[in-house]
Amino acid sequence: MDYLAGLNPEQKAAVLQIKGPVMIIAGAGSGKTRVITYRVAHLIRSGVDSFNILVLTFTNKAAREMRERINHICGPEAKNIWMGTFHSVFAKLLRVEAEKIGYPSNFTIYDTDDSKSVLRAILKEMNLDDKLYAVNFVLNRISAAKNNLVGWQEYQQNDQIQADDQGGGRGKLGVIYQTYVQRCYRAGAMDFDDLLFKTNELLKLHPDVLNKYQHKFKYLMVDEYQDTNFSQYLIVKRLAAVNENICVVGDDAQSIYAFRGANIQNILNFEKDYPDLKIFKLEQNYRSTQNIVSVANSIIANNKEQLKKNVFSEKETGDKIKVMRAFSDNEEGKMVADTIMQDRSTNGMKWHDFAILYRTNAQSRSMEEALRKNNIPYKIYGGLSFYQRKEIKDLIAYFRLTFNPNDEEALKRVINYPKRGIGDTTVDRIIVAADKNSITPFEVILQPNRYIEKAPASLSAFAAMIQSFQVLAKNQSAYEAALYIAQHSGLLKDLYEDKSVEGLNRYENIQELLNGIKEFSEREDIEEKGLDVFMQDIALLTNDDKDKNKDADTVSLMTIHSSKGLEFPQVFVVGLEENLFPSQMSLNSRSDLEEERRLFYVAVTRAERKLSISYATSRFKFGTLINCEPSRFLDEIDARYLELDYSAKPAQSSFFDDERNAWSRKPDTKGDTFSKPKTATTPPPVKTTSILAKAHVVSKDFKIADTSNLQVGMQVEHERFGFGKVLNLEGNKPDVKATIFFKEIGQKQLLLKFAKLSIVGGAE
């Protein structure tokens, strides 16, 4: 029991409670991975058969770390636990049971690119406008339906869904959905959403299968439960129905994935499903200083929907959180880069100790420019992963075709690469023949002369090559099979003969993939080492697994969504401006705004020792420089924990006042330039409750007006700046700028198309 010695009382209590429904509310940095790990180890030490334990995570990285720790405590028994991401665990289950729902056990798993390719082909066949039926939109629509367990039949029969589609001019979405599902089925393929959708279908339609796994998985643990969607929720609930030995771990304050179907109500209402639930709260933060924790607490306290907890830290108080104001997005980038340079030099830090987090990918531009000017090495996370490179996808397509010759997307990708005289016209004829005869394209290729007039001889040669790969892959290790396919497909030779720099890089990437397969073949912790097993592993990689240069000494740049689960000694959260963070799209409902606040909470709690928050008073958007307001979230932070940095000077060409009216527009006698006011103003004193002035209380009858006919002298109201008078109008529609004097904050210049003004009085 020595593994219990290092746990605090609440952690220990959660580990020891192994019977019945349990919910562990784990605040940021509270050691939840350790608790899950030790709880599983304690189950095994208490006599539970490791084959009867199911642990579901959201990343392969988390599953690997837990298994290694459990192995250290319990030895080889750790190998028997069903542990992994929802998708990897249920893909494994479906490999065993898929034939019951009409799929082959060797089904292909389509990634996003594969799904988009199928949809593009369908849209082309149906002669639909690819702007109205944008592929991303269609795919997201289908994904949302599957995550809510709405099949294509229910989709077509649901009056509300049909009305929505017709109203948006997309009445064919139901037919597209049906065709997409049928096309995937014909190819023996499932997309990512199908892995959960089909598992639900299997458990619903086959009570014998459900009963089998209910009695197999006597103990269930679910990590990051706040991120589960309806499909995941229902699978877990069904599997736990017999024994009810279910433990969910999560933090409602870190629920940030509603856009991809996560439902925070799953964790908020967990007690309704299990009235005899035992709840444990992990409230001690072992990651961050007390000041950082206090800031996070003051932010999340503003959410109405939450499970109350009091997170605290026993680490040092730490530095106050620096709030930096810049006069443009470029100056914001410069301030961040300068701070990194200074702190690295002063404190002896490494580049990888720093992270810059932003709300949208577009914000990386100004950060990148500033880092490059200072010769600071950086890495953007969420870019093109190793497994998304063309040459890697090409070789993997050969692997996929070897194990599933019905995989139409893999076939189309490599049938004429390297070139073998099979052009697009021939491929189109193959697809038409397959549709006409209700068979797969590969079946057409096996007998080309039967289905295609004047079929090129290279079709038969291609089919024979794939069949030879199939025979070899059954009898050889993953590495031997992969190397043979790379060589005899002609792909390796084609890349080797390309002597350009890009060609050399592509060839080296293939070698790196083969090295990875060789390493996989030599692993001792897995029993099945075939190429098909390797293929499933990489098909189910999550973003945290795809980066090949994790240990490089570089500053990390990423969206806040990508940062979840990570931590850094020093963090910069940039772009704290209204309509950016919180995003403009989130201002339509309380639930959306609360999710944005949770996102801010996640950003803040990534920091271990130092945290800086920045905002700009002007920023380019779609090529236009716009005026920016500080985020309302800054108002919610208790100013006792903050230090203001107003040291940035406005660019000479800036025509925006800052939000304190510290700088004003003053025509210079020499021309249309702008100068500093004669009397320099200083930042206002810090208040005891807020960093910024409290927002204007909007009038009850406030209504955003059409400002196309706004005139000088009119009285207006702004949601944040209050009541004001129009002093000047300049520019041409739609980029008219209004200079307005507001009673509460002074003179500001606003772009009317973004200003959201209410007109309260006519021109004097």
Side-chain angles (χ1 to χ4, degrees), residues 150-203:
V150 177
W152 66 263
Q153 299 95 331
E154 293 88 351
Y155 190 100
Q156 293 180 358
Q157 294 165 9
N158 186 294
D159 292 340
Q160 183 60 56
I161 291 175
Q162 293 306 305
D164 290 345
D165 288 351
Q166 294 287 352
R170 300 184 180 93
K172 297 291 186 181
L173 278 172
V175 179
I176 296 171
Y177 185 5
Q178 176 183 357
T179 309
Y180 172 76
V181 170
Q182 292 170 342
R183 197 67 56 87
C184 290
Y185 181 79
R186 184 180 76 179
M190 295 188 195
D191 63 21
F192 251 50
D193 296 316
D194 281 331
L195 296 176
L196 302 181
F197 183 86
K198 296 298 179 184
T199 298
N200 269 299
E201 182 181 305
L202 176 71
L203 299 179

Side-chain angles (χ1 to χ4, degrees), residues 14 17-24 39 218-220 240 243-248 270-280:
Q17 182 62 49
I18 61 176
K19 289 288 186 181
V22 172
M23 178 163 67
I24 302 172
R39 192 173 187 277
K218 295 179 181 178
Y219 293 84
L220 281 73
N243 297 293
E244 289 199 349
N245 291 323
I246 177 171
C247 174
V248 301
F270 190 67
E271 193 169 4
K272 292 181 180 178
D273 288 334
Y274 304 95
D276 55 343
L277 177 71
K278 288 185 171 58
I279 300 175
F280 301 91

Side-chain angles (χ1 to χ4, degrees), residues 139 204 267 280 292 302 312 366 390 418 455 481 490 494 524 552 556 562 592 718 736 741:
L139 183 58
K204 180 181 179 182
I267 192 168
F280 301 91
I292 293 171
N302 291 275
F312 66 94
S366 56
K390 178 187 180 302
D494 185 73
E524 296 181 358
S556 299
S562 299
D592 289 343
H718 187 276
V736 177
F741 181 82

Side-chain angles (χ1 to χ4, degrees), residues 9 12 70 121 148 186-187 250 283 364 424 446 515 535-536 647 705:
K12 185 176 179 180
I70 296 166
N148 286 287
R186 184 180 76 179
E283 297 175 309
S364 71
D424 291 344
L446 287 173
N515 291 339
M535 288 294 300
Q536 176 164 313
S647 59

Side-chain angles (χ1 to χ4, degrees), residues 184-251:
C184 290
Y185 181 79
R186 184 180 76 179
M190 295 188 195
D191 63 21
F192 251 50
D193 296 316
D194 281 331
L195 296 176
L196 302 181
F197 183 86
K198 296 298 179 184
T199 298
N200 269 299
E201 182 181 305
L202 176 71
L203 299 179
K204 180 181 179 182
L205 299 179
H206 297 273
D208 57 323
V209 176
L210 174 60
N211 183 65
K212 171 183 172 181
Y213 289 101
Q214 283 175 333
H215 287 84
K216 177 177 177 59
F217 301 134
K218 295 179 181 178
Y219 293 84
L220 281 73
M221 287 196 69
V222 186
D223 189 17
E224 304 286 7
Y225 190 67
Q226 77 280 350
D227 293 335
T228 52
N229 59 31
F230 178 66
S231 182
Q232 291 162 329
Y233 161 80
L234 208 54
I235 291 172
V236 170
K237 189 175 180 184
R238 280 175 168 151
L239 291 176
V242 171
N243 297 293
E244 289 199 349
N245 291 323
I246 177 171
C247 174
V248 301
V249 186
D251 181 8

Side-chain angles (χ1 to χ4, degrees), residues 693-699 702 717-723 744:
K694 288 296 180 184
H696 164 71
V697 178
V698 180
S699 303
F702 179 88
E717 182 181 5
H718 187 276
E719 288 178 294
R720 192 169 181 86
F721 303 146
F723 294 99
E744 298 174 15

Side-chain angles (χ1 to χ4, degrees), residues 411-430:
L411 176 71
K412 290 192 292 187
R413 187 175 189 99
V414 299
I415 192 170
N416 198 40
Y417 177 71
K419 291 189 181 301
R420 50 177 63 92
I422 305 174
D424 291 344
T425 302
T426 301
V427 173
D428 289 342
R429 290 164 65 196
I430 292 170

Side-chain angles (χ1 to χ4, degrees), residues 140-154:
N140 289 338
R141 187 74 167 169
I142 292 173
S143 176
K146 288 182 178 179
N147 285 330
N148 286 287
L149 302 183
V150 177
W152 66 263
Q153 299 95 331
E154 293 88 351

